[in-house]
Amino acid sequence: MTAQIWYENDADLSVFDGKTVAVIGYGSQGHAHALNLRDSGVKVVVGLRPTSKSVAFAKEQGLEVKSVADATKEADVVMILAPDQYQAQIYRDDIEPNLKEGAALAFAHGFNIHYGYIKPSADHPVFMVAPKGPGHIVRREYAAGRGVPVVVAVEQDPRGDGWGITLAYAKALGALRAGAIKTTFKEETETDLFGEQDVLMGGINHLCEMGFEVLTAAGYQPEIAYFEVFHELKMLVDLMNEGGLNKARWSCSDTAQYGDFTSTVIDEHTRERMQYQLGRIQDGAFAKEFMEDQAKGAPKFKELQEEFSRPQLETVGPKLRAMFSWNKGEAADADEKESFTGKIARAQTQE
C-alpha cells in the first residue's frame, strides 16, 4: 500500500486565524515548534513551570511565556512537547483542568496516547505532527527555507476538522515543504520505539561499542579501532542517505562487499531478538517497565547510563574527530546548539 503524503498546497494556514497554539515545553522540539509557528504567523504562547530555566530562553526569543495552566486556558491547540515520562502528570495537573471546550490536543510522539497514560475526553480533537529529526534541525531547516519531513495522525476527530488542523500545523512548522506522511498513533509509536531499540540506539550503538571492545581486547590500538568501527560509519550512512543500501555497497571495495554478504554477525538469531523486542513494544511491556522506573526516580535508567558511559571511547573519540576538517563546521553547529538548545534541554525536566 502506498503511503499518503501531503505537501504545501494541501494545507491552509487560515485555520489558525484568531486561534492560539500553546506549546508546552521548550526543549529540543519545543523551541523549534514555537519559533517556526510564530514565524509562520501563528499566535503562540509557551507553557512552562515558572521556575524553569527555559523561561528566560523563550523570552529572549521574543515569545510569550505563561504557566502551563494559563497557557492552556487561552489555547485552541495545545501541543505537548515535554518528555514522555512527564506528560501524563502535566496533563492531569495543569492541562486537563484548564482545557477549553473543544480545544485540540497535539503530540510529536504517540507514546502517551497509544499506551493510555493520557486519555482525553471524546470532545477534544487529538492529533500528531512528529518531525523525523531533532528540534535544532527542524528550526535550522525552516530558517533556510526548507523543512524536515513529518509523520501525521489523527486519533480523535469529533468535529471532522482534525485533518485540517493537523496539516495546517505541519505547514506552519515548515514540514510540508518536505512532506507529511499519514500514519496512526499506534504505528508511529511502535515503529519509532522499535527503530530506537533495535536498529539505531540499541543496534548501531551496541554494534560499534562491541566492535571497539573486540578489537582493543585483541591488542589493536584504540585509535585504529575507533577509525574502523566509528569514523567510517558516518561515511557509510551518508552514502545510504544519498542512494540507499545499493549505493553504500557499490561505493565500497569488492572485498568489503564480499565481507558484507558473508558476515554472520547479524543473522536469524538477531531477527528473533528483534521480534521479541517488537513484541514487548506492542504489548506495552517496554512502556510499563520504563514508566514504572521513571516513577521511582529512574534508578535503573541512571544505573544503565553509568554502565554504558564507555569512558575509553569518549577519550579516544574527541581526539580523532578533531583531525577532520569537515568536523569543524559540525563542531561549530554543536557549540551553537549547546548555547541554546543544549541548555534548554538540560532545563526541560517536567516542562
Side-chain angles (χ1 to χ4, degrees), residues 198-237:
D198 294 283
V199 178
L200 305 174
M201 304 295 289
I204 291 172
N205 282 3
H206 288 292
L207 194 64
C208 291
E209 290 170 346
M210 191 169 293
F212 181 86
E213 291 167 356
V214 167
L215 286 175
T216 54
Y220 298 103
Q221 297 179 79
E223 292 80 2
I224 300 300
Y226 188 93
F227 275 144
E228 296 303 328
V229 302
F230 279 90
H231 166 66
E232 293 192 20
L233 177 63
K234 180 187 185 303
M235 296 181 181
L236 192 65
V237 171

Side-chain angles (χ1 to χ4, degrees), residues 6-16 163-172 176 180:
W6 289 282
Y7 296 99
E8 286 275 271
N9 292 335
D10 297 314
D12 183 2
L13 281 180
S14 69
V15 166
F16 289 121
W163 280 109
I165 299 171
T166 303
L167 294 179
Y169 189 102
K171 182 171 183 173
L176 295 193

Side-chain angles (χ1 to χ4, degrees), residues 121-327:
S121 60
D123 58 314
H124 294 289
V126 176
F127 70 89
M128 173 172 57
V129 176
K132 304 315 291 180
H136 74 282
I137 301 296
V138 173
R139 178 57 181 166
R140 186 184 73 190
E141 291 300 289
Y142 177 93
R146 299 185 295 266
V148 170
V150 293
V151 295
V152 292
V154 173
E155 183 78 3
Q156 293 183 180
D157 192 8
R159 300 189 299 263
D161 62 350
W163 280 109
I165 299 171
T166 303
L167 294 179
Y169 189 102
K171 182 171 183 173
L173 191 62
L176 295 193
R177 299 168 180 173
I181 301 176
K182 184 179 182 180
T183 187
T184 64
F185 273 66
K186 171 181 167 60
E187 182 177 61
E188 186 278 335
T189 302
E190 293 178 357
T191 57
D192 185 75
L193 293 177
F194 176 84
E196 291 169 352
Q197 294 175 28
D198 294 283
V199 178
L200 305 174
M201 304 295 289
I204 291 172
N205 282 3
H206 288 292
L207 194 64
C208 291
E209 290 170 346
M210 191 169 293
F212 181 86
E213 291 167 356
V214 167
L215 286 175
T216 54
Y220 298 103
Q221 297 179 79
E223 292 80 2
I224 300 300
Y226 188 93
F227 275 144
E228 296 303 328
V229 302
F230 279 90
H231 166 66
E232 293 192 20
L233 177 63
K234 180 187 185 303
M235 296 181 181
L236 192 65
V237 171
D238 286 344
L239 289 166
M240 292 179 191
N241 184 57
E242 292 171 11
L245 289 176
N246 282 340
K247 181 167 184 177
R249 283 176 166 138
W250 295 337
S251 299
C252 295
S253 69
D254 290 351
T255 312
Q257 287 187 60
Y258 189 80
D260 172 4
F261 301 147
T262 60
S263 173
T264 58
V265 173
I266 306 298
D267 60 12
E268 287 304 309
H269 296 293
T270 309
R271 187 189 304 275
E272 291 170 6
R273 290 191 290 273
M274 283 184 167
Q275 290 169 338
Y276 169 75
Q277 290 298 116
L278 179 58
R280 295 190 73 245
I281 291 167
Q282 292 171 328
D283 67 17
F286 168 78
K288 183 174 184 291
E289 178 183 319
F290 172 71
M291 294 295 276
E292 288 181 351
D293 182 61
Q294 290 290 318
K296 297 173 184 175
K300 182 175 181 179
F301 178 64
K302 293 173 183 175
E303 180 183 335
L304 290 170
Q305 281 186 316
E306 179 66 25
E307 179 183 344
F308 286 96
S309 63
R310 299 292 193 265
Q312 186 181 18
L313 289 179
E314 298 311 315
T315 299
V316 175
K319 177 173 65 175
L320 297 186
R321 289 193 294 271
M323 297 173 65
F324 299 100
S325 60
W326 55 84
N327 278 340

